[in-house]
Amino acid sequence: MDLKVNSSVATRDERDAVDSVLGKPTQYTQGGTRTEQDLRISRAGEALRNLRHMLLPTLHAVNDHIGWISRGSINYIAQQLDVAPAEIYGVASFYALFSTTERPKRQVHVCIDLACRAMGGLREDELPEGTHPSPCLGTCERAPAVLVIEAGNPARHEVLAPATPVQINALAKGAWPEAEPSIVSATPQADDDSTKLVLLGRIGKVDPLSITDYQQHGGFVALRKAIQLGATSVIDEVNASGLVGRGGAAFPTGRKWGAVAGQPAFPHYSICNADESEPGTFKDRVIMEGDPFALVEAMIIASFATGCEQGFIYLRGEYPRAIRNVQNAINESKKQGFLGDNILGSGFNFALSIVRGAGAYICGEETAIFNSIEGYRGEPRNKPPFPVEVGVFGKPTLVNNVETLVNVLSIVNDGGATYAALGTEGSKGRKLFCLSGAVTKPGIYEVEFGITLRQLIDLAGGLRSGSTLQAILLGGAAGGFVGPDDLDLPLTMEATHAAGSSLGSGVVMVLDQSVDMVDQLRRIAAFFRDESCGQCVPCRVGTVRQEEIISRLAQGVQSQDIEMLRELGTVMRDASICGLGQTANSAIDSAINKLKVFAQ
Amino acid sequence: MSTQVTTGLHIRRSVQLTIDGQSVTVAEGETILSACRTMGTEIPTLCFGDTITPKNACRVCMVEVEGSRVLVPSCSRKVEPGMVVRTDTERTDHSRKLVLELLGSSVDLSLTKNVARWNSEYEAEPIRFGKPAAPTNDRDEATTGHHHVADGSSVVNVLQPVKIDNELYVRDYSKCIMCYQCVDACGEQWQNTFAIGVAGRGFDIRISTEFNVDLTDSACVYCGNCIQVCPTGALMFTSEYNMREAGTWKEEEQTQTDTICPYCGVGCSLTLHVQDNEIVKVTSPSDHSVTHGNLCIKGRFGFQHVQNRAE
Amino acid sequence: MVGLATVFGAGGGTSSYQEVETTDLIVMWGSNARNAHPIYFHHVLKGIHNGAKLYSVDPRRSETAQWADLWLGLNVGSDVALSNTIAREIIHAGLANRSFIENSTSGFAEYAASVEEWTLEHGSKTTGVPAEAIRELAHALGNAKTAQICWTLGITEHHNGVDNVLSLINLALLCGHVGRPSAGLNPLRGQNNVQGGGDMGALPNKLPGFQDVEDDVARTKFEKMWNVTIPPKTGWNLTQMFEAMEHGKMRSAFVIGENPAQSEADGAHATALLKNLEHLVVQDIFLTKTAELADVVLPGSASWCEAEGTVTNSERRVQRVRKAINPPGNAHDDIQILVDLASVMGHTWKYESNEHVWNELRSLSPMHFGMTYERLEDLGGIQWPCFSLDKIEPSYLHGRLWAEKLEDRGRLAPFSVVIDSPPVEKTTPEFPLRLTTGRRLDSYNTGVQSGGFESPLRMAETVDLSPEDAVSMGIVDGEIVRITSPRGTVVAPARIDDGLRPGLVFMTPHFPNEVDTNLLTIEAIDPKSGTAEFKAAAVRIDKILKSDARVPVAGE
C-alpha cells in the first residue's frame, strides 16, 4: 500500500527484534537497503497482505527485546508488513503486556485479583514503586502471585508465588526469583495413590519435557488408535462420550467437530483456546506445564478428525512455564514425526504452533481469538456466522479449550461409551476444578461429575484452620457466588444452572470471614472495566457505570443504586456483543441477591 | 435512486418472517432492520451507516428474536425464513433506554440526530447515573488494562478539548460514540489510507492516529470520507465548525444540490450544501455507483475557487 | 481516444468502474490513479480486496505502484517496447486467445511478426525492466480470465501517444480482454468533461455523438436541424492550431475554459503565439494567463455549480451538473453567452433552457437518445450508448466481438503494428536527466481551481529527484536548485523522493506562476492526437552557488 511513515527510525536493536521474526527485508520498500533491482521492480499486494498474522509475534519480539514499542519500531514493522502505523498502534495499544511508551526493562506484575486478594495479596493502592497491578495470573493455588518480566534478547519471564511484600520489593529493585516449584504441587491428588487420575494422571509422574517419558506413560497411544479408527469414527466416539466444552460455554464437543469436519470450504483450522484468564482459573496452565504432550497429542487428534492441516495454541502471555513446556512439546513432537507431513504414515499433515497472547482476557472469547491471531485488535466478532463456518482467516475453524481436548485422549483410548458412563445424566465424564482461597490444599482436582461442593472442599482438606466460610465463587468473575447454605450443591451443569450459578471454567474460590466482600465486588467490577474490549456500548460504558455505582454503594447504600445496577446487568446481559459483557454483572448480581452484600 | 442493472440477472429468493406479529416478505440477504424499514417500523440506530458494513457496536437497534438467548442487532442480522421478531418489548425498550443513557452520560450527543426524540420516547435520563466529571485532556495517554479506580462521586465521560490541527476539518472526540465508521471509511472499506485506527481498550478506546500525532504528521489525505460517515458531528468541516462557533450555521436555510466534481475525469457526485450563496460543506450521495459517498480532497474541499470573489 | 476509436470505432473506455471490482487482473499503465483518480482507485481497491492482482507499469514507484503485486519501472517512453515484449512472450508461451484472435480480430499475423524481435532479453534491455518481471506480467495477462488495462497521461502524453494506446489495445486483443464483463480497456480521463467534450463533437473530425464530419448522411442531419452548411472536412486539433498560428494561417481564437498559455508544452512559445493573434477572445471563470492576453474576456460561469448541464465521465456515464449558487457579478451562463454571441452575429437561437439544448442533442445523437434529464436523474447518470428510452445497454462496449455469428460481430478489431520510438529528446551530457511530469493528489493542472483552497498536503512546486542523484550532486532536501532544459530554466526547491531512480526527475504543472514547469517540457507532438510529449524532456539540475548574486527568476 502507499504507506506513509514519519521520520522516526528504528534502532539497530529494534530492527534486529523485528527481523528475528520476519527475517531481513528482501526489498527496499520493506526497509531493506536499496539495490539495482529496487529501482525497477517492487512487490507488495497480496504477498504482503498475507503476512498480517505476523504482527502479533513481531510486536512481542520488540516488546520482549526492548521492553516497549517505539514509533521507530512501528514504522519499521509497518514497512516490513505493509501495514499502516495507525493500525499497528491500534493493535499494540490493545494489549496490556505491550507498552507504547518507554518504560524500564524490568516489569513486575503483581496480581491484585480475587484469589490473591483473598489470600493477603496487595491491593492496587498498596503496590511498591516499580511494580504495577495485574489481573489474575492464574497461579491461584500459590497465591499471592507475581510475574516478573525482564526485557532482553532473550527476555526473561518468571512467576513468583507465593510472594511476600518484601519479596515483591526486592523484585522491583532487581532481584530475580528462583525457579518455580514442581508443578506437582498444584495437583494435591497426585500424592494419593488410591485415586486413579486420568486427566492429571501423568502430572508429577513424567518429565514434562521428555517425549520418551510421555510415550512410556501411554503417550501417543490415542493418536495411533485415532488414525486406525479414522476421522469419522473418532467424531462418533466424541459424540458418544457426551463431552461438552470445558471453557465455560459447555457446547457439545462432538457436534462442533462434526460441523467443522463437514464444511466444504478449505482449509480448516484448529485452535486450542489456552488463553485461560478467568480469575481463579488455572487448570489449563497446570495441564500445559505438567503434561504438555497430552495437549499436543489431543490437538493432533482433533485436527485429524476435523480435517485441519494447521493448528494454533493461543496461549496466555502470562504463562511463561506453560509456553516453554508446550513449545518444547511441539518441537519434540515434530522431531519424532508426530507433527508435520504424513503423520504416522496416515497421509495426514498437520502443523501446530503457539500464538502467544499479550494480556487481554477478551482474547479468550472464541472470535476475539481469531482477530488476535490474524494480527488485528482482539475484538469479538458478530455471530452468526459461527466459527465452524467462518472462523480464523475466514475459514471453518475448530476452537476447543485445553481441558476439553485432553479429555479426548481417554475417550479415544477407552471409547465414548465408557466416558459417558461417568458423571450424571446432564454432566458426563470427568471435570477439573480449580480450588483456591481458604482451603487447606488448594490446587486442581479431578473428579467425576456429581460430587457436591462440600465433598470437593473436603477433598481439598477442608477449610484452613481458623477459617469460617463466608462465600464461594463458582465459575470465576463471570460466574456467581454461593453461600455456606449451598454446600450440598452437586457440581454439575444442571444443578448449578438450577441454582442460578454456573460451573464456568471450574473455579471454586473459597472465601472465609477475613475477606471483604465489597472489596471483592469492586475488584470484579474493575476487572471487567479493564478487560472490556470497548467495542459495544453496554459493556464499554456499562462496566464503568457498574464500577462507579459499586464504589458509591461501598460508601453508603442507596436503593436506587441497587436498582440501577440491576438495570445495567440486564442491558449488559441482553445487548452486549459477547460473553464478557453478558456476564460482567453476574457475580455482582449473585452477591447482592444471594449473599445480600449491600443489604441495608 | 436505483442502481443500474448491468449484467446478468440477480434473482434473490424471498424470505418470509414475522415482525411484531405481522408477516412480511423480503429478499434474502436483507437485514431485520431493512425489513422493519420496509414495514415502516422505526428502529433507532446510531452507529449504522448505509455505506459501511454494520459494526453493530452501539446496540441501540436490538430486537428480540424467538429462540435467541440474547437480543439481536437488527442492523446486521440477516433475515431467516420463519424468524419471529419483536421490536417493541419490555426487553428491547429497556435495552434502548439504557444504551441511550449510557452513551448520553459519557458522550456529547448534542449534534446526533434524533437522540432528543428517542430519549423522550424511551424515557432515558442519562443524568441519573450521576454528576458528569470534568473534561480531561489525557485520554490519549491511557494505559491499557489499567484505570484509576472510580470513587463514584462523578461519572466519567469522554469530554476533552477539540482537536484542531489542520485547515480543513476538526475532530471533536467529545462527541464520538465509537461507531467505527470513520476508521472503516479511512481503512479497508473505502479509502484504504489507514490514517486513523482504534486505539486503547475498554472505556479508553479512542480514534487515533499512530501515537496520537497530529493529522498533518499522519497518513491523512484529507478526503473527508470520515466526515461523511460521522453520525455525531465529532468530525466536521472547519467551515461548519467556525460558523457554529460564530452562531451563523443555519442548517434550515441551507439548500442541497447534487452536481458533478469539476476536477478529474472520474465524475464524482457532489452534494453542495449552500447557505447565502456560499458553499459551506460538500458531501456525496451514498447510493451513487461512482462514489458511494466518497470523495477526494479536491472534490470535498476544492470548491473555494468559485467563491473567492472578494476583490 | 484516437487509439480506441481507430480500433473499435468508439472513443471511450470499454468498461464501467464497477467491473474493475470483479476482475481478476488490473494493469495500471502510465497511471497513478491513486493520486490522480482517487475515487476510481476506490473501485480498484475493491477489486484488490476481492482478490484481483494489480500490476503497475510506471517509471516512478508511484502511490499506485505501491499497491501493486508487482511494479515494473520502465524507462520513460519505452512503453511500446514493453508491450511488444509482453506480446511476444504471450504468443510464445501459448497463452494467446487463439479463438478470439481468429474470430474477432484482423491483422494478427503481421502483428505477431512485428513483435518477434522483442525477446525478453531485448525488451529488458530497452525498457530497463528485469526480464523475469516482464515475463510475469505477460503470463498474468495471458492466464487471467478477465483483465482491466487502464492508462492515463503516462501513456498518451508522448510524441507517440496513440501508438502507446494501440500497443495496449493489442495486448487486450491478444488475450480477449475486451468486450466481456470485467474485461476491458480504460483510459482514465484527466479532466472532468474531456470525455464529454469528445462526445459533444469538440474534436476536429467529429460531430456530436462521434458522428464523422465527413459522413454525408450524418452531416446532412445536422445541417438540416441547424439550417447551416457544415464544412465537410476535418478541422485542426489544438497542436495544429498552434502550428497554424505560427504560420499566420490562424489569426484569431476563441478560448473557452482553457489556459493554453500555461498548459501547453513549451509555454513561452505558446504565449508568444497567442500574443501574436489579431484577435483573442477568452471565456473563463478566472482571469487566467491566457485571459490576460485576450482582447475580450467573457466572464463565464462555473459549469459544475453555477449552471445546468451534463458532463461525461471516464466510464462514459453522462451525469447532470446543477446550479447551486449564482455566478458573481456580470458572469453569465456559458450557453447564454454563446446564444448572445450568435444573436449579435445575426442568428437567433431559441432555447428555453439548457435542457432544451440537451434535447436537441438527443435528437441528433442516437447514442444519447435515451438520456432524458429525468432518466439521468433517476439512474444516477447513464453510460453511453443509450439508444432507447426504456432500455439500458450493457455496461461494457464491444460485446459484439464475441457474437456467435460472424455477421453480428461487426468490423473485426484490427491489431496494429507499433514501432518502438523513444522520446524525441535524448538525454545528453549537457542535459543528463530525464524529466517527467504528473499530478499531485491535492492539486490539479495549472492550479487555477485547486489553488483556491488551503490544503494541508500542499507543498509548493518542487523538483523531485532520487536520493542517489541528490547525493551525487550534493543537493539536500529543500535546497533551491536550477532546472534547465534546452528551452528554458526554472528554479525550484529539490525534494528527495525514493520513488524515483537515478537519472529520473519529476515535476508538476500545478504552480505555473511560481515555477513554470512547461517552460522545460518539449513541444514534440503526436501527429495522430495532437498531444505533446509532456512526459519526457531532458534537463540538467544545477546547484545555485552562493556566489550567484542574484537568484534567477522563473521564465528567464
Side-chain angles (χ1 to χ4, degrees):
Chain A
M1 62 172 291
D2 48 343
L3 268 184
K4 187 177 164 197
V5 296
N6 64 25
S7 55
S8 303
V9 174
T11 64
R12 173 105 183 249
D13 285 346
E14 287 170 343
R15 286 179 70 101
D16 286 348
V18 173
D19 293 350
S20 73
V21 178
L22 300 176
K24 292 226 177 291
T26 54
Q27 51 179 353
Y28 172 71
T29 48
Q30 287 180 272
T33 45
R34 184 142 131 145
T35 64
E36 275 297 311
Q37 169 134 319
D38 291 311
L39 305 178
R40 294 295 185 171
I41 64 169
S42 72
R43 290 177 188 278
E46 194 177 19
L48 298 190
R49 281 195 296 281
N50 287 342
L51 296 177
R52 175 75 189 236
H53 67 284
M54 299 305 290
L55 179 55
L56 183 58
T58 307
L59 289 170
H60 264 303
V62 175
N63 197 63
D64 277 350
H65 290 203
I66 314 297
W68 67 292
I69 299 162
S70 70
R71 289 191 195 198
S73 341
I74 281 188
N75 285 346
Y76 182 53
I77 297 170
Q79 290 181 295
Q80 274 260 29
L81 295 180
D82 207 26
V83 175
E87 279 272 296
I88 299 175
Y89 180 72
V91 173
S93 63
F94 184 83
Y95 296 99
L97 289 182
F98 294 155
S99 174
T100 51
T101 50
E102 192 165 6
R103 60 179 177 180
K105 284 197 180 275
R106 162 76 53 113
Q107 292 294 310
V108 181
H109 300 267
V110 182
C111 180
I112 55 154
D113 228 318
L114 304 173
C116 288
R117 259 174 140 79
M119 297 301 288
L122 300 174
R123 296 191 324 193
E124 55 282 355
D125 50 4
E126 300 167 339
L127 299 184
E129 211 179 303
T131 68
H132 48 84
S134 169
C136 180
L137 288 171
T139 315
C140 316
E141 83 278 16
R142 286 184 277 135
V146 176
L147 167 68
V148 193
I149 301 175
E150 180 127 326
N153 185 13
R156 294 200 293 167
H157 301 74
E158 200 63 66
V159 170
L160 175 65
T164 64
V166 174
Q167 286 172 309
I168 294 172
N169 242 320
L171 293 177
K173 297 207 166 76
W176 192 253
E178 286 180 23
E180 288 185 72
S182 160
I183 190 58
V184 71
S185 65
T187 56
Q189 287 165 301
D191 299 339
D192 176 8
D193 287 338
S194 65
T195 317
K196 168 90 176 87
L197 297 177
V198 177
L199 301 175
L200 303 177
R202 272 181 292 262
I203 294 177
K205 300 198 171 59
V206 303
D207 175 358
L209 298 177
S210 163
I211 194 167
T212 320
D213 217 9
Y214 179 65
Q215 286 180 278
Q216 279 166 2
H217 288 79
F220 293 114
V221 171
L223 174 59
R224 290 196 167 86
K225 187 156 177 215
I227 288 170
Q228 214 172 38
L229 283 171
T232 315
S233 303
V234 170
I235 296 178
D236 289 344
E237 292 300 328
V238 176
N239 263 322
S241 74
L243 177 67
V244 302
R246 299 288 192 245
F251 190 84
T253 306
R255 242 166 71 197
K256 201 187 260 186
W257 287 26
V260 174
Q263 289 299 319
F266 279 92
H268 298 175
Y269 292 99
S270 58
I271 294 174
C272 168
N273 184 347
D275 192 43
E276 181 175 70
S277 312
E278 184 64 48
T281 314
F282 51 101
K283 62 191 173 68
D284 296 345
R285 189 200 97 235
V286 169
I287 292 171
M288 291 188 286
E289 290 182 350
D291 196 7
F293 288 100
L295 175 61
V296 171
E297 183 181 357
M299 271 297 275
I300 303 169
I301 293 172
S303 305
F304 167 72
T306 54
C308 304
E309 296 210 332
Q310 193 172 357
F312 305 97
I313 298 175
Y314 190 94
L315 215 166
R316 202 180 170 202
E318 291 90 338
Y319 279 180
R321 184 157 68 175
I323 291 170
R324 288 194 290 265
N325 292 4
V326 172
Q327 188 60 58
N328 175 74
I330 290 174
N331 297 347
E332 294 300 309
S333 302
K334 220 182 276 179
K335 277 190 215 154
Q336 302 284 325
F338 295 107
L339 285 172
D341 288 349
N342 192 18
I343 293 167
L344 299 178
S346 62
F348 171 61
N349 308 328
F350 183 57
L352 180 63
S353 54
I354 293 177
V355 175
R356 179 153 59 113
Y361 169 73
I362 189 60
C363 289
E365 201 277 341
E366 64 176 348
T367 60
I369 275 195
F370 303 153
N371 279 334
S372 186
I373 290 174
E374 291 178 23
Y376 294 88
R377 293 163 54 80
E379 295 173 349
R381 299 176 181 174
N382 289 297
K383 290 185 277 191
F386 291 96
V388 293
E389 286 172 29
V390 183
V392 75
F393 304 116
K395 298 296 179 189
T397 303
L398 179 73
V399 186
N400 281 135
N401 163 266
V402 174
E403 181 189 348
T404 314
L405 283 164
V406 171
N407 267 295
V408 167
L409 299 180
S410 69
I411 291 169
V412 171
N413 277 330
D414 307 333
T418 312
Y419 189 90
L422 302 169
T424 67
E425 186 50 39
S427 305
K428 294 191 158 68
R430 299 182 183 84
K431 176 80 193 106
L432 298 179
F433 285 99
C434 315
L435 270 88
S436 61
V439 290
T440 307
K441 291 185 289 178
I444 301 299
Y445 288 83
E446 176 183 332
V447 297
E448 215 181 288
F449 270 117
I451 187 171
T452 65
L453 194 46
R454 185 189 308 277
Q455 289 167 322
L456 182 64
I457 292 173
D458 286 347
L459 202 55
L463 292 188
R464 279 188 311 187
S465 73
S467 285
T468 45
L469 181 63
Q470 180 174 200
I472 299 165
L473 179 62
L474 292 183
F481 287 99
V482 295
D485 299 343
D486 297 310
L487 282 173
D488 293 315
L489 181 70
L491 293 173
T492 60
M493 258 118 24
E494 59 275 22
T496 48
H497 185 74
S501 186
S502 96
L503 282 187
S505 52
V507 170
V508 177
M509 192 184 296
V510 180
L511 305 176
D512 69 8
Q513 77 288 352
S514 69
V515 172
D516 176 352
M517 286 306 294
V518 172
D519 176 67
Q520 289 273 312
L521 297 193
R522 290 185 73 166
R523 174 55 206 159
I524 289 173
F527 172 81
F528 282 114
R529 177 181 172 174
D530 277 339
E531 299 299 335
S532 166
C533 81
Q535 202 180 188
C536 70
V537 172
C539 179
R540 177 175 79 236
V541 191
T543 55
V544 174
R545 296 291 173 260
Q546 170 167 276
E547 188 195 30
E548 288 164 350
I549 294 172
I550 289 176
S551 295
R552 283 208 298 268
L553 287 168
Q555 296 157 37
V557 176
Q558 306 276 342
S559 59
Q560 72 266 30
D561 279 339
I562 300 277
E563 172 56 21
M564 251 191 298
L565 262 188
R566 199 190 56 76
E567 289 184 34
L568 276 176
T570 306
V571 71
M572 286 196 274
R573 191 166 50 251
D574 277 350
S576 295
I577 290 177
C578 79
L580 188 152
Q582 288 164 12
T583 58
N585 175 255
S586 67
I588 290 166
D589 188 59
S590 69
I592 293 173
N593 289 325
K594 197 166 273 167
L595 305 180
K596 311 289 177 202
V597 169
F598 291 118
Q600 281 172 299
Chain B
M1 190 187 296
S2 64
T3 42
Q4 191 172 328
V5 176
T6 51
T7 51
L9 277 172
H10 300 280
I11 299 166
R12 290 206 292 176
R13 267 174 280 184
S14 56
V15 172
Q16 192 174 25
L17 69 160
T18 309
I19 299 177
D20 295 334
Q22 245 182 291
S23 174
V24 56
T25 304
V26 296
E28 191 180 26
E30 298 272 304
T31 61
I32 296 175
L33 178 67
S34 62
C36 286
R37 287 183 173 173
T38 311
M39 296 174 59
T41 301
E42 193 205 18
I43 310 248
T45 58
L46 288 167
C47 70
F48 177 78
D50 50 7
T51 62
I52 301 286
T53 305
K55 187 75 181 170
N56 59 66
C58 77
R59 317 301 277 185
V60 80
C61 72
M62 306 300 278
V63 295
E64 267 190 69
V65 171
E66 220 171 81
S68 173
R69 182 174 51 87
V70 291
L71 299 179
V72 161
S74 63
C75 67
S76 65
R77 177 63 67 83
K78 302 266 194 292
V79 294
E80 290 162 27
M83 211 176 217
V84 178
V85 179
R86 296 219 62 99
T87 69
D88 57 353
T89 65
E90 204 177 311
R91 270 177 97 193
T92 60
D93 287 2
H94 176 264
S95 208
R96 283 178 211 153
K97 169 185 169 174
L98 265 286
V99 164
L100 288 165
E101 289 180 335
L102 289 171
L103 273 179
S105 66
S106 54
V107 182
D108 171 5
L109 298 177
S110 57
L111 295 184
T112 308
K113 287 207 171 62
N114 299 320
V115 162
R117 180 164 64 80
W118 290 331
N119 275 347
S120 100
E121 190 172 325
Y122 293 99
E123 295 171 352
E125 291 176 71
I127 197 69
R128 74 188 174 111
F129 287 115
K131 186 178 75 155
T136 55
N137 55 11
D138 59 356
R139 277 190 58 82
D140 292 304
E141 280 93 52
T143 306
T144 301
H146 297 286
H147 68 279
H148 294 294
V149 175
D151 66 4
S153 62
S154 62
V155 302
V156 302
N157 52 52
V158 303
L159 300 186
Q160 58 191 297
V162 181
K163 288 186 160 82
I164 302 177
D165 53 16
N166 71 90
E167 299 92 334
L168 299 178
Y169 71 103
V170 305
R171 297 178 291 154
D172 181 2
Y173 289 128
S174 298
K175 296 193 173 75
C176 176
I177 61 167
M178 294 303 300
C179 71
Y180 286 60
Q181 286 197 73
C182 58
V183 171
D184 288 342
C186 184
E188 190 164 298
Q189 292 190 31
W190 293 115
Q191 178 60 29
N192 285 269
T193 288
F194 302 95
I196 46 170
V198 176
R201 192 169 81 192
F203 194 73
D204 299 327
I205 190 175
R206 57 200 180 268
I207 307 298
S208 181
T209 57
E210 65 273 20
F211 296 90
N212 187 36
V213 298
D214 284 351
L215 283 180
T216 45
D217 289 328
S218 77
C220 181
V221 291
Y222 306 91
C223 61
N225 294 330
C226 54
I227 311 172
Q228 169 97 21
V229 296
C230 179
T232 66
L235 304 173
M236 194 181 274
F237 272 60
T238 303
S239 51
E240 175 175 348
Y241 179 78
N242 289 342
M243 288 171 79
R244 282 184 184 277
E245 290 289 291
T248 56
W249 181 260
K250 305 257 163 62
E251 208 155 299
E252 62 288 352
E253 292 174 15
Q254 292 169 9
T255 57
Q256 295 185 19
T257 308
D258 286 357
T259 190
I260 302 298
C261 177
Y263 290 96
C264 79
V266 175
C268 297
S269 287
L270 308 179
T271 303
L272 306 178
H273 299 241
V274 172
Q275 180 179 328
D276 295 333
N277 206 38
E278 290 275 334
I279 300 166
V280 292
K281 176 163 88 172
V282 176
T283 57
S284 179
S286 58
D287 59 353
H288 197 278
S289 68
V290 172
T291 62
H292 300 283
N294 297 289
L295 296 171
C296 76
I297 181 172
K298 299 187 290 293
R300 183 86 56 189
F301 296 107
F303 55 83
Q304 268 303 330
H305 65 273
V306 293
Q307 49 200 30
N308 290 340
R309 304 172 181 133
E311 285 298 315
Chain C
M1 206 177 284
V2 178
L4 285 164
T6 306
V7 176
F8 300 111
T14 73
S15 306
S16 64
Y17 298 162
Q18 280 176 321
E19 288 173 62
V20 81
E21 298 176 10
T22 50
T23 193
D24 295 331
L25 174 69
I26 305 163
V27 180
M28 308 227 65
W29 196 311
S31 164
N32 184 12
R34 176 59 153 168
N35 264 9
H37 300 94
I39 299 302
Y40 179 73
F41 204 72
H42 277 203
H43 296 271
V44 171
L45 287 161
K46 287 273 180 220
I48 288 173
H49 292 312
N50 287 336
K53 288 276 195 294
L54 172 67
Y55 284 74
S56 164
V57 180
D58 197 313
R60 297 188 302 143
R61 191 167 47 74
S62 67
E63 289 78 0
T64 301
Q66 291 172 43
W67 277 96
D69 289 276
L70 179 64
W71 161 65
L72 294 82
L74 80 177
N75 291 333
V76 173
S78 66
D79 306 84
V80 167
L82 183 62
S83 168
N84 283 351
T85 308
I86 290 170
R88 182 188 185 275
E89 178 62 22
I90 288 173
I91 295 166
H92 278 254
L95 297 172
N97 189 331
R98 288 282 167 188
S99 64
F100 180 76
I101 292 169
E102 204 163 295
N103 294 335
S104 312
T105 71
S106 61
F108 174 69
E110 203 187 336
Y111 170 66
S114 76
V115 300
E116 191 50 33
E117 64 172 306
W118 289 100
T119 62
L120 288 174
E121 294 66 35
H122 181 32
S124 173
K125 211 167 155 216
T126 308
T127 61
V129 177
E132 189 44 44
I134 303 177
R135 184 178 176 278
E136 194 177 319
L137 174 50
H139 285 245
L141 268 167
N143 286 318
K145 278 205 212 87
T146 55
Q148 293 270 312
I149 302 177
C150 310
W151 64 90
T152 317
L153 304 178
I155 276 295
T156 51
E157 285 184 349
H158 285 282
H159 76 279
N160 58 340
V162 173
D163 279 358
N164 283 344
V165 173
L166 291 172
S167 80
L168 299 185
I169 296 172
N170 285 337
L171 294 178
L173 296 181
L174 201 50
C175 305
H177 292 321
V178 67
R180 290 183 293 135
S182 303
L185 288 153
N186 295 295
L188 303 175
R189 303 304 190 190
Q191 299 174 32
N192 87 322
N193 199 28
V194 69
Q195 179 72 52
D199 293 0
M200 294 303 108
L203 296 169
N205 58 339
K206 297 287 179 189
L207 290 160
F210 296 104
Q211 300 173 81
D212 210 309
V213 73
E214 292 172 9
D215 174 341
D216 292 341
V217 178
R219 200 179 61 253
T220 310
K221 185 172 60 174
F222 283 88
E223 290 179 336
K224 231 190 217 162
M225 169 68 86
W226 290 343
N227 196 22
V228 291
T229 310
I230 299 170
K233 57 175 199 234
T234 298
W236 290 327
N237 61 33
L238 185 57
T239 307
Q240 289 162 330
M241 288 186 213
F242 273 94
E243 278 168 15
M245 287 183 217
E246 184 139 35
H247 301 127
K249 283 197 249 165
M250 177 168 148
R251 300 191 308 272
S252 62
F254 184 7
V255 178
I256 307 181
E258 280 275 349
N259 186 14
Q262 288 183 311
S263 61
E264 288 303 284
D266 197 352
H269 186 55
T271 302
L273 291 175
L274 289 166
K275 271 185 187 161
N276 257 344
L277 287 170
E278 286 173 18
H279 191 59
L280 175 63
V281 182
V282 172
Q283 179 172 324
D284 207 304
I285 62 170
F286 300 106
L287 193 65
T288 59
K289 289 283 170 197
T290 311
E292 285 175 9
L293 305 173
D295 300 287
V296 179
V297 177
L298 301 168
S301 55
S303 57
W304 64 282
C305 64
E306 295 170 349
E308 302 289 330
T310 65
V311 292
T312 312
N313 73 2
S314 297
E315 62 170 352
R316 299 169 276 106
R317 183 178 298 275
V318 176
Q319 307 190 91
R320 286 273 283 112
V321 290
R322 296 180 183 83
K323 180 172 176 171
I325 56 175
N326 296 317
N330 286 324
H332 287 155
D333 187 308
D334 292 80
I335 290 179
Q336 193 55 49
I337 294 174
L338 295 179
V339 168
D340 290 347
L341 266 178
S343 165
V344 171
M345 293 163 88
H347 299 270
T348 315
W349 293 356
K350 282 214 170 119
Y351 294 109
E352 286 149 26
S353 62
N354 291 4
E355 183 177 3
H356 190 182
V357 180
W358 176 251
N359 286 336
E360 177 188 292
L361 175 275
R362 284 179 45 234
S363 73
L364 290 166
S365 170
M367 63 188 269
H368 293 104
F369 177 72
M371 302 180 185
T372 60
Y373 265 27
E374 196 184 352
R375 286 187 91 199
L376 290 175
E377 174 111 14
D378 287 349
L379 299 172
I382 299 174
Q383 290 174 278
W384 63 248
C386 178
F387 301 113
S388 85
L389 286 168
D390 52 8
K391 217 179 125 208
I392 294 292
E393 303 298 319
S395 64
Y396 54 89
L397 295 179
H398 318 314
R400 63 177 167 82
L401 293 173
W402 295 85
E404 291 253 327
K405 294 188 200 133
L406 180 64
E407 62 265 32
D408 295 338
R409 284 179 218 140
R411 190 176 79 110
L412 302 183
F415 278 96
S416 315
V417 171
V418 278
I419 306 300
D420 170 44
S421 170
V424 170
E425 187 160 80
K426 306 281 177 290
T427 53
T428 62
E430 194 187 354
F431 300 104
L433 301 170
R434 173 62 74 205
L435 169 70
T436 193
T437 62
R439 282 183 189 163
R440 298 200 202 282
L441 172 63
D442 61 340
S443 296
Y444 180 72
N445 291 2
T446 58
V448 288
Q449 294 182 93
S450 54
F453 74 104
E454 298 284 334
S455 164
L457 298 173
R458 192 169 298 143
M459 0 179 213
E461 182 58 12
T462 57
V463 57
D464 297 357
L465 73 168
S466 69
E468 291 84 357
D469 282 341
V471 168
S472 70
M473 291 187 268
I475 293 169
V476 296
D477 204 57
E479 180 177 338
I480 310 286
V481 295
R482 182 168 26 208
I483 310 105
T484 308
S485 83
R487 289 157 296 283
T489 292
V490 298
V491 168
R495 178 175 160 271
I496 294 169
D497 178 359
D498 61 10
L500 296 166
R501 60 172 170 266
L504 185 62
V505 301
F506 176 83
M507 295 180 75
T508 84
H510 299 320
F511 307 92
N513 298 337
E514 294 80 30
V515 181
D516 196 352
T517 303
N518 281 336
L519 291 175
L520 304 174
T521 50
I522 178 172
E523 202 187 352
I525 305 298
D526 185 337
K528 296 182 197 164
S529 67
T531 304
E533 192 154 59
F534 288 102
K535 297 300 183 195
V539 299
R540 180 176 78 231
I541 295 181
D542 295 309
K543 280 178 80 77
I544 295 174
L545 300 174
K546 288 228 174 70
S547 58
D548 283 3
R550 161 184 96 83
V551 174
V553 292
E556 177 175 66

